[in-house]
Protein backbone atom coordinates (compact mmCIF):
# COMPACT_ATOMS: atom_id res chain seq x y z
CA UNK A 1 0.00 0.00 0.00
CA UNK A 2 2.77 2.43 0.93
CA UNK A 3 4.61 1.75 -2.34
CA UNK A 4 1.41 2.38 -4.30
CA UNK A 5 0.82 5.68 -2.53
CA UNK A 6 4.40 6.79 -3.10
CA UNK A 7 4.05 5.92 -6.79
CA UNK A 8 0.90 8.05 -7.01
CA UNK A 9 2.71 10.97 -5.40
CA UNK A 10 5.65 10.54 -7.81
CA UNK A 11 3.29 10.60 -10.81
CA UNK A 12 1.62 13.73 -9.45
CA UNK A 13 5.03 15.39 -9.20
CA UNK A 14 5.81 14.37 -12.79
CA UNK A 15 2.67 16.11 -14.05
CA UNK A 16 4.11 19.44 -12.89
CA UNK A 17 6.96 19.09 -15.40
CA UNK A 18 5.96 19.69 -19.00
CA UNK A 19 9.05 20.57 -21.01
CA UNK A 20 12.37 18.82 -21.47
CA UNK A 21 15.46 18.45 -23.53
CA UNK A 22 17.75 15.48 -23.75
CA UNK A 23 21.39 15.95 -22.72
CA UNK A 24 24.11 13.51 -23.66
CA UNK A 25 26.93 15.42 -21.95
CA UNK A 26 27.87 14.48 -18.36
CA UNK A 27 27.21 16.96 -15.56
CA UNK A 28 30.08 19.30 -14.78
CA UNK A 29 31.12 18.66 -11.17
CA UNK A 30 34.50 20.00 -10.15
CA UNK A 31 34.60 19.05 -6.48
CA UNK A 32 34.36 15.25 -6.91
CA UNK A 33 36.89 13.23 -8.94
CA UNK A 34 36.05 10.86 -11.80
CA UNK A 35 37.19 7.89 -9.73
CA UNK A 36 34.74 8.70 -6.92
CA UNK A 37 32.40 5.87 -5.85
CA UNK A 38 30.26 6.15 -2.75
CA UNK A 39 30.49 3.47 -0.05
CA UNK A 40 27.89 2.83 2.68
CA UNK A 41 28.36 1.43 6.20
CA UNK A 42 25.45 -1.02 6.13
CA UNK A 43 24.37 -3.36 3.29
CA UNK A 44 20.89 -2.66 1.96
CA UNK A 45 19.53 -5.98 3.22
CA UNK A 46 20.77 -5.25 6.75
CA UNK A 47 19.20 -1.82 7.21
CA UNK A 48 16.93 -1.80 10.28
CA UNK A 49 13.17 -1.25 9.99
CA UNK A 50 13.49 1.98 11.95
CA UNK A 51 16.18 3.42 9.65
CA UNK A 52 15.47 7.16 9.59
CA UNK A 53 15.86 10.11 7.26
CA UNK A 54 18.52 11.52 9.58
CA UNK A 55 20.51 8.27 9.41
CA UNK A 56 20.20 8.19 5.63
CA UNK A 57 21.67 11.68 5.44
CA UNK A 58 24.46 10.81 7.86
CA UNK A 59 25.31 7.76 5.72
CA UNK A 60 25.68 9.94 2.63
CA UNK A 61 22.58 8.82 0.74
CA UNK A 62 21.32 10.90 -2.18
CA UNK A 63 18.21 12.13 -0.40
CA UNK A 64 14.91 13.28 -1.87
CA UNK A 65 12.18 14.82 0.24
CA UNK A 66 8.76 14.83 -1.42
CA UNK A 67 10.32 14.39 -4.84
CA UNK A 68 13.11 16.99 -4.73
CA UNK A 69 16.79 16.27 -4.01
CA UNK A 70 17.85 17.85 -0.71
CA UNK A 71 21.23 16.20 -0.17
CA UNK A 72 23.81 14.47 -2.32
CA UNK A 73 23.22 16.20 -5.65
CA UNK A 74 26.97 16.40 -6.23
CA UNK A 75 27.36 12.72 -5.36
CA UNK A 76 24.76 11.74 -7.94
CA UNK A 77 26.26 14.00 -10.60
CA UNK A 78 29.63 12.38 -9.99
CA UNK A 79 27.97 8.96 -10.33
CA UNK A 80 26.40 10.06 -13.62
CA UNK A 81 29.67 11.43 -14.99
CA UNK A 82 31.62 8.34 -13.96
CA UNK A 83 29.16 5.84 -15.42
CA UNK A 84 28.79 7.87 -18.61
CA UNK A 85 32.48 7.19 -19.19
CA UNK A 86 31.88 3.46 -18.71
CA UNK A 87 33.31 3.14 -15.19
CA UNK A 88 31.65 1.09 -12.45
CA UNK A 89 30.09 2.98 -9.53
CA UNK A 90 27.33 2.80 -6.96
CA UNK A 91 25.09 5.20 -5.10
CA UNK A 92 22.32 4.83 -2.49
CA UNK A 93 19.02 6.68 -2.83
CA UNK A 94 16.73 7.67 0.02
CA UNK A 95 13.22 8.86 -0.88
CA UNK A 96 11.23 10.45 1.94
CA UNK A 97 7.53 11.27 1.54
CA UNK A 98 5.13 13.29 3.67
CA UNK A 99 1.49 14.16 3.12
CA UNK A 100 1.89 17.86 3.85
CA UNK A 101 -1.11 20.09 4.46
CA UNK A 102 -4.27 17.99 5.09
CA UNK A 103 -6.41 20.68 3.45
CA UNK A 104 -5.01 19.66 0.08
CA UNK A 105 -6.63 16.22 0.24
CA UNK A 106 -10.10 14.78 0.27
CA UNK A 107 -10.81 14.29 4.02
CA UNK A 108 -11.81 10.64 3.60
CA UNK A 109 -8.69 9.86 1.57
CA UNK A 110 -6.47 11.67 4.05
CA UNK A 111 -7.86 9.66 6.96
CA UNK A 112 -7.29 6.42 5.07
CA UNK A 113 -3.58 7.06 4.38
CA UNK A 114 -2.33 9.41 7.11
CA UNK A 115 -0.93 6.59 9.25
CA UNK A 116 1.33 5.48 6.38
CA UNK A 117 3.28 8.74 6.48
CA UNK A 118 5.97 9.89 6.70
CA UNK A 119 7.65 7.01 4.87
CA UNK A 120 11.20 6.35 3.71
CA UNK A 121 12.33 4.12 0.82
CA UNK A 122 15.96 3.09 0.31
CA UNK A 123 17.35 1.85 -3.02
CA UNK A 124 20.82 0.90 -4.23
CA UNK A 125 21.78 1.95 -7.75
CA UNK A 126 24.91 0.51 -9.36
CA UNK A 127 26.63 0.34 -12.72
CA UNK A 128 28.94 -2.54 -13.64
CA UNK A 129 30.33 -1.01 -16.82
CA UNK A 130 27.54 -2.35 -19.01
CA UNK A 131 24.20 -2.06 -17.25
CA UNK A 132 22.53 -0.15 -14.43
CA UNK A 133 20.96 -2.17 -11.62
CA UNK A 134 18.57 -0.72 -9.07
CA UNK A 135 17.37 -2.84 -6.17
CA UNK A 136 15.24 -2.41 -3.08
CA UNK A 137 13.19 -4.42 -0.61
CA UNK A 138 9.41 -4.46 -0.59
CA UNK A 139 7.54 -6.41 2.08
CA UNK A 140 10.73 -8.36 2.77
CA UNK A 141 11.24 -9.31 -0.89
CA UNK A 142 14.22 -8.08 -2.89
CA UNK A 143 13.23 -6.31 -6.11
CA UNK A 144 15.84 -5.90 -8.87
CA UNK A 145 15.51 -3.96 -12.12
CA UNK A 146 18.14 -3.62 -14.87
CA UNK A 147 18.43 -0.79 -17.39
CA UNK A 148 20.89 0.01 -20.16
CA UNK A 149 20.78 3.81 -20.00
CA UNK A 150 20.80 6.65 -17.52
CA UNK A 151 19.30 9.70 -19.21
CA UNK A 152 19.51 13.33 -18.15
CA UNK A 153 16.55 15.57 -18.95
CA UNK A 154 16.37 19.27 -18.17
CA UNK A 155 14.25 22.24 -19.12
CA UNK A 156 12.19 25.20 -17.97
CA UNK A 157 8.93 24.94 -16.10
CA UNK A 158 6.33 25.78 -18.72
CA UNK A 159 3.45 26.23 -16.30
CA UNK A 160 3.02 29.73 -14.96
CA UNK A 161 1.75 28.22 -11.73
CA UNK A 162 4.94 26.24 -11.09
CA UNK A 163 6.92 27.36 -8.05
CA UNK A 164 10.19 26.29 -9.68
CA UNK A 165 11.90 27.87 -12.68
CA UNK A 166 13.43 24.74 -14.21
CA UNK A 167 14.29 21.12 -13.46
CA UNK A 168 16.94 18.46 -13.94
CA UNK A 169 15.88 14.81 -13.92
CA UNK A 170 17.92 11.62 -14.23
CA UNK A 171 15.96 8.62 -15.48
CA UNK A 172 16.85 4.96 -16.07
CA UNK A 173 15.60 3.65 -19.42
CA UNK A 174 16.39 1.02 -22.02
CA UNK A 175 16.29 3.48 -24.93
CA UNK A 176 18.85 6.26 -25.32
CA UNK A 177 16.61 8.10 -27.80
CA UNK A 178 13.43 8.31 -25.70
CA UNK A 179 12.33 11.83 -24.75
CA UNK A 180 10.84 13.04 -21.51
CA UNK A 181 7.61 13.90 -23.33
CA UNK A 182 7.34 10.30 -24.53
CA UNK A 183 7.83 8.96 -21.01
CA UNK A 184 5.17 11.31 -19.62
CA UNK A 185 2.77 10.41 -22.43
CA UNK A 186 3.23 6.73 -21.66
CA UNK A 187 2.40 7.36 -18.00
CA UNK A 188 -0.81 9.21 -18.75
CA UNK A 189 -2.05 7.33 -21.81
CA UNK A 190 -4.86 4.81 -21.46
CA UNK A 191 -3.72 2.94 -24.57
CA UNK A 192 -2.19 -0.48 -24.00
CA UNK A 193 1.46 -0.50 -24.98
CA UNK A 194 2.10 3.25 -24.64
CA UNK A 195 3.85 2.91 -21.30
CA UNK A 196 7.66 2.96 -21.58
CA UNK A 197 9.60 1.21 -18.84
CA UNK A 198 11.70 3.71 -16.90
CA UNK A 199 12.59 4.77 -13.37
CA UNK A 200 13.30 8.29 -12.16
CA UNK A 201 16.25 8.23 -9.77
CA UNK A 202 17.25 11.84 -9.14
CA UNK A 203 15.29 15.08 -9.53
CA UNK A 204 16.24 18.67 -8.81
CA UNK A 205 13.79 21.55 -9.02
CA UNK A 206 15.51 24.91 -9.50
CA UNK A 207 13.72 27.89 -8.00
CA UNK A 208 15.83 30.82 -9.26
Amino acid sequence: MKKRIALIISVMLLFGVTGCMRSNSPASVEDLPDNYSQEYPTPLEELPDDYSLEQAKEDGCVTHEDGNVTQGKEIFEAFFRRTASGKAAQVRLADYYTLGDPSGYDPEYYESVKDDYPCLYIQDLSFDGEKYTIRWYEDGEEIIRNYSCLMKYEGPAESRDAIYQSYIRYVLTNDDSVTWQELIYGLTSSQLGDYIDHKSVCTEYIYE
Side-chain angles (χ1 to χ4, degrees):
M1 178 63 179
K2 291 183 180 180
K3 288 290 185 181
R4 185 174 301 173
I5 294 170
L7 176 60
I8 292 172
I9 291 177
S10 297
V11 171
M12 290 172 64
L13 288 169
L14 296 182
F15 290 161
V17 179
T18 53
C20 76
M21 68 177 182
R22 176 166 170 256
S23 174
N24 288 320
S25 58
S28 177
V29 181
E30 298 179 355
D31 54 345
L32 291 176
D34 286 340
N35 62 355
Y36 178 84
S37 185
Q38 184 79 346
E39 301 290 339
Y40 299 94
T42 306
L44 183 65
E45 58 272 15
E46 296 179 11
L47 290 176
D49 293 337
D50 61 353
Y51 191 70
S52 67
L53 174 64
E54 291 71 25
Q55 288 174 301
K57 289 182 175 182
E58 289 176 3
D59 289 344
C61 295
V62 177
T63 305
H64 289 75
E65 297 179 56
D66 292 324
N68 189 36
V69 64
T70 56
Q71 176 180 292
K73 179 185 71 173
E74 294 83 3
I75 291 174
F76 194 90
E77 289 175 340
F79 171 86
F80 176 74
R81 183 177 63 191
R82 178 176 170 83
T83 61
S85 66
K87 300 174 183 176
Q90 64 178 356
V91 69
R92 179 165 291 174
L93 314 173
D95 295 303
Y96 184 78
Y97 294 99
T98 64
L99 280 176
D101 185 357
S103 65
Y105 299 86
D106 174 79
E108 183 176 349
Y109 173 77
Y110 182 83
E111 286 298 317
S112 69
V113 301
K114 67 178 184 179
D115 292 338
D116 292 330
Y117 289 85
C119 52
L120 177 67
Y121 303 105
I122 308 296
Q123 303 170 93
D124 275 358
L125 173 61
S126 62
F127 181 70
D128 63 4
E130 295 183 356
K131 68 180 183 301
Y132 294 88
T133 299
I134 186 164
R135 67 186 189 98
W136 67 94
Y137 282 84
E138 187 172 339
D139 298 326
E141 179 183 356
E142 183 181 28
I143 310 296
I144 300 175
R145 298 286 185 270
N146 294 315
Y147 294 90
S148 60
C149 309
L150 177 58
M151 305 294 289
K152 179 183 179 182
Y153 301 103
E154 54 187 314
E158 294 183 353
S159 170
R160 294 182 179 180
D161 297 328
I163 62 173
Y164 56 90
Q165 297 298 314
S166 58
Y167 67 86
I168 300 172
R169 185 180 295 275
Y170 296 89
V171 182
L172 295 169
T173 77
N174 288 307
D175 182 354
D176 65 2
S177 66
V178 68
T179 67
W180 182 241
Q181 291 97 332
E182 290 170 334
L183 294 178
I184 291 297
Y185 178 79
L187 279 173
T188 59
S189 174
S190 60
Q191 298 297 315
L192 184 65
D194 283 345
Y195 175 75
I196 301 173
D197 185 26
H198 70 282
K199 190 169 182 60
S200 182
V201 288
C202 187
T203 300
E204 178 187 8
Y205 292 114
I206 301 165
Y207 297 91
E208 296 181 356

